[in-house]
Amino acid sequence: LPATALAAEPTVYDIWVDGVQVTSENKDNLFSGTVSYDPTTHTLSLNNATLDNDTMSDYGIKTIIPSTLKIRLTGTNSITRTDPYGGVGISPNDGNSVEITGDGKLVINVIGENYDGISTKADVKISDKARVIINSEGGLGIAGKMVEIDGATVDSTGLYAGIDAHRLKIVNGADVTLKATQDGRNGAYIWKDQEGNGGDIELAASKVKATSYYPALFTEGNLTVNGGEVSCTSTADGAIWTKGNILIKGGAKVTTEGKFPMGCDGTFTVEE
């Protein structure tokens, strides 16, 4: 008798979008074609996508692929998590990075207690002409190890911090707004690891605005502002504070408003 050919099983990828796992069968046409995935480059493309199905998943985008997840934005996209008991906008596995590029817009809204807009124990990079707006009512706007914003526009508000990271780098004409809404918090909280490494903020030729109860920009390391404009407001303390050094140069304009202007435990240097 003639043998019956069995259909090949679809390849399953370790990435979930709005509760749907990506496979070789659906990767080109998720959510009516607004989401697609290229497994060769590990690129998830969002094209006017709306990801708001709380009942399917606690995560808008979740991945455990052993590589950097690249998210390319086209048009206006949104990730919404309204469950008060939990929900993260974008959550790579611990140790995996995420990079957001493209010329589109992404709005992330999460309300769950202690849940973040973007959360990873690795690196977060937002570049190109991407525009990312985050509102995390019960957690952190962006939580990562190295957070780099390169030429992009980012507006990140969190209960505890707009950005909580090991290092922060904002460069090449980026436009960044950071805010913490709870008393006793920082717009950006940048910390050193257990070995005492990192903890630095580098701002270059960019526009940065930060607001919070305690220092809007706080770092356990050094702060360097090289050109651009920085405006910081603290409602109860110094607008900028570092445990290391502060260096302002390159014709930068730095404006502070608070109970105290700004200061550091190290050297305070203004050049050029």
Side-chain angles (χ1 to χ4, degrees):
L1 295 175
T4 301
L6 298 177
E9 290 293 325
T11 302
V12 177
Y13 305 111
D14 289 329
I15 178 170
W16 292 260
V17 181
D18 224 12
V20 177
Q21 187 166 17
V22 181
T23 70
S24 56
E25 290 185 341
N26 66 15
K27 65 181 179 64
D28 297 321
N29 191 32
L30 284 155
F31 306 103
S32 301
T34 62
V35 180
S36 60
Y37 179 64
D38 183 346
T40 303
T41 61
H42 309 293
T43 300
L44 185 72
S45 297
L46 306 184
N47 186 349
N48 293 304
T50 300
L51 309 178
D52 59 1
N53 197 338
D54 279 351
T55 60
M56 291 292 292
S57 174
D58 290 343
Y59 304 91
I61 297 172
K62 180 182 178 181
T63 175
I64 56 174
I65 60 173
S67 302
T68 297
L69 174 65
K70 299 176 182 178
I71 300 175
R72 176 165 291 277
L73 305 177
T74 301
T76 300
N77 307 273
S78 64
I79 299 174
T80 305
R81 287 295 177 265
T82 59
D83 190 337
Y85 299 103
V88 178
I90 300 174
S91 180
N93 184 44
D94 291 351
N96 290 347
S97 302
V98 60
E99 181 176 348
I100 301 176
T101 63
D103 58 3
K105 176 181 178 181
L106 174 61
V107 179
I108 301 174
N109 285 305
V110 296
I111 70 168
E113 184 177 357
N114 294 322
Y115 284 86
D116 308 326
I118 299 175
S119 183
T120 177
K121 292 183 179 179
D123 299 337
V124 176
K125 183 175 182 179
I126 304 173
S127 62
D128 206 357
K129 297 184 182 298
R131 184 181 179 193
V132 179
I133 301 172
I134 300 171
N135 183 29
S136 174
E137 293 187 12
L140 299 165
I142 301 174
K145 192 171 182 181
M146 167 66 174
V147 174
E148 180 178 356
I149 302 171
D150 185 346
T153 298
V154 175
D155 187 335
S156 181
T157 298
L159 178 68
Y160 307 130
I163 292 178
D164 183 300
H166 178 52
R167 289 181 60 203
L168 175 60
K169 185 176 181 180
I170 300 174
V171 296
N172 294 327
D175 190 339
V176 178
T177 302
L178 304 174
K179 185 176 181 181
T181 58
Q182 188 179 67
D183 287 352
R185 304 295 180 174
N186 308 99
Y189 183 87
I190 310 303
W191 40 270
K192 290 187 176 184
D193 62 19
Q194 293 181 345
E195 288 74 35
N197 300 315
D200 296 330
I201 297 177
E202 177 187 347
L203 311 178
S206 297
K207 184 177 181 180
V208 178
K209 181 179 180 181
T211 305
S212 54
Y213 182 92
Y214 279 153
L217 294 181
F218 172 82
T219 176
E220 294 183 337
N222 303 318
L223 166 66
T224 301
V225 183
N226 187 359
E229 297 184 18
V230 177
S231 177
C232 294
T233 300
S234 167
T235 59
D237 204 88
I240 295 174
W241 184 264
T242 79
K243 289 188 176 182
N245 305 320
I246 292 178
L247 171 61
I248 300 172
K249 63 179 184 176
K253 180 180 180 180
V254 179
T255 306
T256 60
E257 181 178 350
K259 186 176 180 180
F260 311 105
M262 55 180 161
C264 59
D265 288 337
T267 62
F268 191 109
T269 306
V270 179
E271 299 178 354
E272 304 170 26

